[in-house]
Amino acid sequence: MNRKQIRKSLAMLACAAMLSVNASAQKNVKAPEPVLPLPEQKQVDWQKMETYAFIHFGLNTFNDREWGYGDSDPKTFNPTHLDCEQWVKTLIAAGMKGVIFTAKHHDGFCLWPFEGNDYNVSKSPWRGGKGNVVRELADACKKYGLKFAVYLSPWDRSRAEYATPDYLPYFYAQLRDLLTNYGEVFEVWFDGANGGDGYYGGAKDQRTIDRKNYYNYPRIFEILDEIQPNAVVFGDGGPGCRWVGNEKGFAGETNWSFLRKGEVYPGYPRHTELTYGHADGNQWTAAECDVSIRPGWFYHPEEDSRVKSPEQLVDLYYRSVGHNATFLLNFPVDRDGLIHPIDSANAIAYHNIIQRELSNNLVAGMKARVSSERGGQFTAKALTDNSWDTYWATPDGVTTGDIEFRFKKAQRMNRIMLQEYIPLGQRVKKFSVEYLDNKGQWQTVEQPEETTTIGYKRLLRFATVVSKGIRVRILDSRGPLCINNIGVYDGGKDAQLTWSKAAESIKSLPFTVVKKTADEVIIDLGEAKDITTLQYLPDQSDHRKGLVHTYSISTCDANGNVQKTLKKDEFSNIQNNPILQTVTFPTVKTRYLKFKAERMVKAGEKMNYEKLGIN
């Protein structure tokens, strides 16, 4: 072998040795230590679903109610064209990854033939008493690849034994039945509404319970772990995922996936905390944003003109999934047993807008400039490789960092997506986004949100810029940074920055309020007129003051002396969903009308409202 060949061989050996050393060094770089609390794998898998659907359907659908008392006749349940495959196909077209079904709402009516009672679909004329809505939906989900889950209300306004220990075996039996016979479920949904007025086996009564202890939730969790160990449990305080503290469909811009263990329970009075999580929490309990595509949760024909627009749904997506939560969108199935075509069209249009706005990642596959790297496999390359399991990390003790992209030519941009590798914990406490101006100076993008937490996913909409550079600066964190994905997008030159809600409009006959007290309003129409409707828009402020729970509407004289009571009922769910309430009654001719609060949501508060309308 001549000297030239020897030198070549030695060089090759040296190169191989260097590659071996580098590969060994990569393997020897330790991952960052976890920052507690941490999610279980099933919680990570659940959050990756991002968007899924609610279906509210039952006796309420046919009796024009939101919360039935438990006294509606099962014979009124008779959807003539029920088609669960239509539901599933619609949901898939709208981008949903799963569906949660109200197998039993507060009225106690079971949408499957539960053998433990006589208040179920077998007592209805639908399918000749042989039907099972839970079965039909579970089978349709399996056929089309949609994940399935169940809502089972702990409250039951139809059971005589409710609020006594005797109710619990009945409730546990329902839970076991649903979890055993309908395949795998990804979530079990327990409502926080528990106790109050009801029919209770024929006795019109009011029952109260110890919401924290009555149901013995530790026992319920044992049943779930035994039968459905991969199901995430929803509740005000989790433990799997939490209510976001409102029924408007959004999470806070600052949103921690933590709660203080054992503090939050069904009906938790400080529910506004749940919109943001507990920064000092020790239990991983990410938020789920539930909202209906209509004002109400169940179908009401008069709401056909009040379906949320595609643009409104887009805004909610950015403020739920884009705020480190999931998006649970409710579809009230109509009296035919179908998702209404308006709801379907708007949901599919919303999904198409999201797909369009986030389809073109301008930095996919690019190598970012970063302020520091941990080394090994934890380099900047992991930011744009479209892999969940790889991530850029900073060295121990480094809790700030910059991520910068430069383009050969100016790009139009107005959306950015950031993800933390949450199996190691949620870390980022504050960040900012900047772009290069025409003078080569970094400027903060124009956008209306706090840039604090990231978590599983943060989507930020900002005013359109055309620039050769964009930079994310992470300014504070609970530990070394672990960022596994970043995307920069052009959502179109007309992509909305925010969506502004229009005020609820009420068309009304002219009237004056001639008397208003702590619990009633006397309305003067000026002359005797035929009327059939009162509309009540509750206080729309965040404080929701003066909400009416139970009401009466009566004709009266000028002094408020009652002549004839037209309607007496409750405004169901008004505390969590203070939407426009429309009350209809048989046509009556009167000049004066009394609207009286028989009971307030919060005892002692004065009756309040945003608007009233008479028609």
Side-chain angles (χ1 to χ4, degrees), residues 289-319:
C289 299
D290 60 321
V291 67
S292 184
I293 198 167
R294 291 165 173 252
W297 289 91
F298 285 90
Y299 179 78
H300 308 285
E302 67 271 16
E303 293 182 352
D304 285 352
S305 61
R306 301 173 65 199
V307 179
K308 288 179 174 61
S309 69
E311 292 75 19
Q312 187 175 359
L313 296 173
V314 166
D315 181 68
L316 292 176
Y317 173 86
Y318 280 108
R319 298 171 66 199

Side-chain angles (χ1 to χ4, degrees), residues 91-259:
L91 301 180
I92 291 172
M96 305 293 159
K97 301 299 190 297
V99 59
I100 302 174
F101 183 57
T102 53
K104 182 197 82 173
H105 205 254
H106 310 324
D107 62 358
F109 183 74
C110 297
L111 289 167
W112 80 104
F114 180 58
E115 293 182 358
N117 74 9
D118 291 326
Y119 203 47
N120 64 60
V121 287
S122 70
K123 304 302 179 182
S124 78
W126 176 67
R127 304 270 196 262
K130 304 296 183 183
N132 183 339
V133 189
V134 178
R135 168 62 62 206
E136 291 192 21
L137 181 55
D139 288 349
C141 287
K142 184 176 181 181
K143 179 177 179 179
Y144 292 98
L146 196 71
K147 292 186 177 182
F148 178 66
V150 291
Y151 166 116
L152 183 67
S153 174
W155 187 16
D156 194 319
R157 301 172 105 179
S158 72
R159 301 296 296 183
E161 68 272 29
Y162 181 78
T164 74
D166 293 339
Y167 172 72
L168 298 182
Y170 170 80
F171 180 57
Y172 298 162
Q174 288 185 322
L175 187 60
R176 283 188 175 277
D177 193 358
L178 288 172
L179 297 182
T180 302
N181 296 312
Y182 297 94
E184 185 172 355
V185 301
F186 72 87
E187 185 172 327
V188 179
W189 220 93
F190 294 122
D191 204 311
N194 290 284
D197 295 337
Y199 199 58
Y200 302 120
K204 193 76 170 178
D205 194 8
Q206 187 178 359
R207 306 277 177 88
T208 58
I209 61 165
D210 175 353
R211 296 185 180 200
K212 197 169 186 178
N213 300 304
Y214 173 63
Y215 298 107
N216 189 2
Y217 274 105
R219 175 65 187 128
I220 289 172
F221 300 153
E222 287 177 5
I223 294 172
L224 290 168
D225 287 341
E226 172 193 336
I227 306 173
Q228 295 278 354
N230 293 320
V232 168
V233 180
F234 170 91
D236 285 12
C241 63
R242 73 177 192 266
W243 181 44
V244 77
N246 64 71
E247 293 185 357
K248 298 178 181 178
F250 66 84
E253 296 156 15
T254 298
N255 182 20
W256 293 102
S257 296
F258 322 142
L259 290 179

